[in-house]
Amino acid sequence: MSGMNNDLHGQLKTPGYGVDFHMHTLASDGAWSPEKLVETAAAQGVRLLAVSDHDTIKSVAPVQAFAARRGISFIPGVEITINWQDAMYHMLVYNFDPHNAALNNLLDNTEDQTTAKKEEIIAGLRKQGYKLTKLAELKRADGSYLATDIARALYKGGEIATFDQAINECTRFGLGRICSQPADVALEVSLAAGGIPVLAHPGRLEYGFTVATEKTLRELVDMGLAGLEVYHHSHQAAEVARYLNFAKQNNLAISAGSDSHNESRKPTPWNPELTRTLLERLNVAVPSINAA
């Protein structure tokens, strides 16, 4: 998909008053440090933000602290990988209790799955004679690395000619098996933790994931889904209209997010009026664009 029309996208921005409910840091697959994310969001005109890393809330506290220093409103968030009917989806959850034991156990379980999968991929590759000499260079300061860094190490080390070929090789040993949680379990835990669950970019087609059908959306709503990320860079205008209509018909909160991971797509100051329904459920006043 080419994504949202640039003119339409531009009309939906309000620099200086904007909101952005979907951003990633080094805690998952983003390149932003918590401080740099907040500074960049502020420079872009975002005045209310949520950090929503994949399956971890490790950056919630530091982003909250930096946002407070800059006078930016903050909402805790996380993007949980879920599965339903043999398909994978991303579910954003907002305003949960970050100390909730069940939620933390759920996220720890996904992390354990991910660790085991990375070890499985590395063991399989080593049995085939790959050395992965560049993997150490790709690890972060805390020793962590992404599953895709294994493929990157093969490519950078000259063991495989292209990155795509390296991805394909890693897929033989488990890279395609995405770590996730059952949707009904994730929804139950998220709601019990006080969170507002929102399906992320329902119209985006990406490797390993499925575009949500209306049937799937209705099933998730019946289980407690409370909102849709209607405004996302990957959504065409027709998709925005369709998901907006579904959200209104089913009394769902409407979210907007940049899905920023790095400088190539910075945080977006979405017009807060677009997300009025979500802000009201968060008990956050809708920023006034006409305020002095």
Side-chain angles (χ1 to χ4, degrees), residues 81-82 86-89 175-178 205-210:
T81 309
I82 61 173
D86 298 319
M88 301 285 180
Y89 306 94
L175 187 61
R177 297 196 290 277
I178 297 168
L205 183 63
E206 57 180 317
Y207 176 76
F209 290 81
T210 302

Side-chain angles (χ1 to χ4, degrees), residues 7-19:
D7 291 338
L8 173 61
H9 194 170
Q11 293 169 16
L12 304 180
K13 294 180 182 178
T14 54
Y17 306 91
V19 301

Side-chain angles (χ1 to χ4, degrees), residues 164-212:
D164 286 344
Q165 289 174 353
I167 286 287
N168 290 336
E169 186 70 1
C170 289
T171 299
R172 294 175 54 203
F173 303 103
L175 187 61
R177 297 196 290 277
I178 297 168
C179 302
S180 62
Q181 298 293 331
D184 53 346
V185 174
L187 279 161
E188 181 180 1
V189 170
S190 298
L191 291 167
I196 299 174
V198 172
L199 193 67
H201 42 67
R204 186 174 78 172
L205 183 63
E206 57 180 317
Y207 176 76
F209 290 81
T210 302
V211 171

Side-chain angles (χ1 to χ4, degrees), residues 59-231:
S59 278
V60 164
V63 171
Q64 183 173 24
F66 286 120
R69 294 177 195 175
R70 287 301 305 264
I72 295 175
S73 298
F74 173 80
I75 300 295
V78 63
E79 188 171 13
I80 300 176
T81 309
I82 61 173
N83 63 75
W84 182 247
Q85 301 294 334
D86 298 319
M88 301 285 180
Y89 306 94
H90 282 144
M91 185 177 76
L92 297 157
V93 184
Y94 300 118
N95 217 31
F96 49 82
D97 173 9
H99 303 293
N100 181 271
L103 177 62
N104 279 280
N105 288 339
L106 183 98
L107 298 175
D108 286 345
N109 177 264
T110 303
E111 183 176 11
D112 289 343
Q113 290 183 45
T114 303
T115 298
K117 181 171 70 172
K118 288 187 290 190
E119 291 174 351
E120 176 186 349
I121 295 168
I122 289 173
L125 290 169
R126 291 198 187 282
K127 285 182 180 180
Q128 297 299 311
Y130 294 109
K131 303 301 183 183
L132 295 169
T133 56
K134 293 293 183 179
L135 184 57
E137 297 178 12
L138 297 172
K139 291 183 179 180
R140 298 169 182 180
D142 62 359
S144 66
Y145 61 95
L146 304 175
T148 51
D149 286 334
I150 302 171
R152 196 166 287 109
L154 288 174
Y155 168 58
K156 287 185 173 294
E159 297 188 85
I160 291 184
T162 70
F163 180 66
D164 286 344
Q165 289 174 353
I167 286 287
N168 290 336
E169 186 70 1
C170 289
T171 299
R172 294 175 54 203
F173 303 103
L175 187 61
R177 297 196 290 277
I178 297 168
C179 302
S180 62
Q181 298 293 331
D184 53 346
V185 174
L187 279 161
E188 181 180 1
V189 170
S190 298
L191 291 167
I196 299 174
V198 172
L199 193 67
H201 42 67
R204 186 174 78 172
L205 183 63
E206 57 180 317
Y207 176 76
F209 290 81
T210 302
V211 171
T213 64
E214 184 167 324
K215 177 178 179 293
T216 295
L217 291 177
R218 294 191 183 282
E219 290 171 343
L220 294 175
V221 168
D222 288 343
M223 288 186 281
L225 186 73
L228 293 181
E229 187 180 39
V230 172
Y231 298 97

